[in-house]
Amino acid sequence: MGSKIRYANERLTKYFKKKNPDLEPEQEEAVKPYLTFEPDPKPEYLNDHLTAKELAEKYRLKTQTLANWRTQGRGPGYQKYGHKIYYPIPAIDKWIQHSRVRIHEDDDD
């Protein structure tokens, strides 16, 4: 995640047990902090951004559709932080405004 390396808890537990099958209780306690993982909360500077998942849920899209649009240069503008995609809310609003279909009535009536 970003510049940090993260490992799944199950894989770490398996690794430690394989390397040290007879861990003593105090050793197991020493290993526990490395087995718990709390994802970093969304940074404050991204409060005016939506993740791809949030955007997809809000507008009833699939995240894969958003991914396809990004590769095609379509859809709302986005920013990439680490390996995550964030959509600035102003870019979403601009995209929605631009994407609206406008129907003009004839003035001849």
Side-chain angles (χ1 to χ4, degrees):
M1 299 180 79
S3 62
K4 299 176 185 175
I5 298 173
R6 303 287 186 184
Y7 298 96
N9 290 348
E10 305 82 41
R11 292 184 71 191
L12 281 175
T13 304
K14 188 176 178 181
Y15 171 80
F16 283 119
K17 293 215 184 237
K18 185 177 179 181
K19 291 287 185 186
N20 304 299
D22 301 318
L23 283 179
E24 295 182 20
E26 62 272 2
Q27 290 172 318
E28 282 192 31
E29 287 300 315
V31 169
K32 278 187 182 178
Y34 299 100
L35 299 178
T36 58
F37 167 68
E38 291 291 325
D40 294 333
K42 191 172 174 181
E44 279 190 36
Y45 61 86
L46 293 175
N47 283 345
D48 64 339
H49 291 63
L50 297 179
T51 64
K53 183 177 179 182
E54 291 168 338
L55 180 62
E57 287 174 1
K58 184 172 182 171
Y59 292 101
R60 297 181 186 164
L61 299 166
K62 292 186 178 189
T63 54
Q64 185 59 50
T65 300
L66 292 170
N68 292 342
W69 286 350
R70 286 192 304 271
T71 61
Q72 298 167 2
R74 298 173 49 197
Y78 65 94
Q79 296 173 331
K80 198 169 182 183
Y81 293 96
H83 294 289
K84 284 195 145 196
I85 302 294
Y86 292 95
Y87 293 88
I89 292 173
I92 296 167
D93 294 341
K94 183 178 177 183
W95 171 69
I96 289 171
Q97 257 329 95
H98 181 72
S99 300
R100 285 196 174 145
V101 175
R102 292 184 177 29
I103 300 173
H104 299 281
E105 296 181 12
D106 291 334
D107 292 331
D108 297 339
D109 292 339

